[in-house]
Amino acid sequence: MQRALVVAILVGVSAPVMGTYLVQRRLALLGDGIGHVALTGVAMGWLAGSAAGLADNDALAVPGAVVASVVGAVLIEVVRERGKTSGDVALALLFYGGIAAGVLLIGLAGGTTANLNGYLFGSIAAVSTLDVWLTVALAAVLLGFGIGLRPALFALCHDEEFARAAGLPVRALNVLVAVMAALTVSVSMRVVGVLLVSALMIVPVAVAQLFARSFRSTMTTAMVIGVVVCVSGLTITFLYPLSPGATIVVLAIGLYAVVSVVRPLLGRPAHGDPHLDVGDDVELREVV
């Protein structure tokens, strides 16, 4: 429970950071596509562990997911940039290819599709000490880049042409966003599973946008919401035999429904456009 709580807090803080940028770029489903590729990485980790004769076949599952998801994210960005196929077709290729390759490779490793269930739907109760340290490292990278480069990434996600005119390295930043999305999937995989990981990235941001008035406040509020739903969901599943990942996502969606109903009753005006954050614009001018 202690290890699970640490991982839940780290995931709750870091996943909405990347989700804020994906929502801004209207790439909310990118996490789903990368998640399916991560499943291939999990199977590759199983295959490598089996070939190496490791006692624990899934010891290399998370590192394999990290490698596969990063490679997949970079490929999707390269395809998108060169315009060889539309973004939705490229995401579809990730969806179908990731699932199919994962099932085939896990069979070659001597496992069954049942071995993938913990990664498909989350298995936070089975978090090992190695998983905790990997999560700490990946979350630190995500928060460092996601918050430290927020002015530049804000400009990129708001208006790519403006970012290019401002002299920002647009191509490198695009690749960085893709890699960060891949790392977020790898971080969140143990908590909610690859099939639900996109929800943990996007739903807290959607809730925050209902009342936040700027890009910065949207990100900060989403991080708080992410921690609250992750810790609450973990606590509930500690007391009752429920799926942690599904419970966390249902809590987040339920919170969105409640806030959607309550905000108009309180007479609150529509949330501010997260594209318009004076603070981020000032920071951007300082960077440029």
Side-chain angles (χ1 to χ4, degrees), residues 96-273:
Y96 308 138
I99 286 289
V103 173
L104 287 176
L105 289 176
I106 199 69
L108 293 175
T112 64
T113 53
N115 297 124
L116 296 178
N117 284 340
Y119 298 95
L120 286 170
F121 303 105
S123 181
I124 195 169
V127 171
S128 65
T129 302
L130 177 60
D131 291 333
V132 172
W133 285 112
L134 283 174
T135 304
V136 169
L138 294 176
V141 171
L142 285 172
L143 293 174
F145 283 107
I147 297 177
L149 296 178
R150 183 170 57 192
L153 293 178
F154 167 78
L156 175 74
C157 296
H158 176 56
D159 189 337
E160 188 170 312
E161 292 303 319
F162 167 75
R164 185 174 285 107
L168 295 174
V170 170
R171 177 175 297 177
L173 289 176
N174 277 327
V175 173
L176 178 62
V177 169
V179 171
M180 285 172 56
L183 293 181
T184 304
V185 169
S186 302
V187 166
S188 308
M189 182 175 59
R190 276 295 199 181
V191 178
V192 294
V194 296
L195 294 184
L196 299 174
V197 65
S198 189
L200 189 56
M201 297 165 65
I202 304 304
V203 178
V205 179
V207 176
Q209 284 187 337
L210 292 175
F211 52 86
R213 298 181 179 276
S214 68
F215 184 85
R216 180 184 299 174
S217 61
T218 297
M219 178 180 291
T220 303
T221 306
M223 292 166 68
V224 174
I225 293 172
V227 173
V228 170
V229 296
C230 282
V231 173
S232 299
L234 180 62
T235 302
I236 292 173
T237 56
F238 179 75
L239 300 174
Y240 302 97
L242 301 173
S243 169
T247 303
I248 290 170
V249 172
V250 168
L251 285 176
I253 294 175
L255 181 60
Y256 178 84
V258 170
V259 174
S260 298
V261 173
V262 171
R263 184 178 57 82
L265 297 178
L266 297 177
R268 294 291 302 276
H271 67 84
D273 188 348

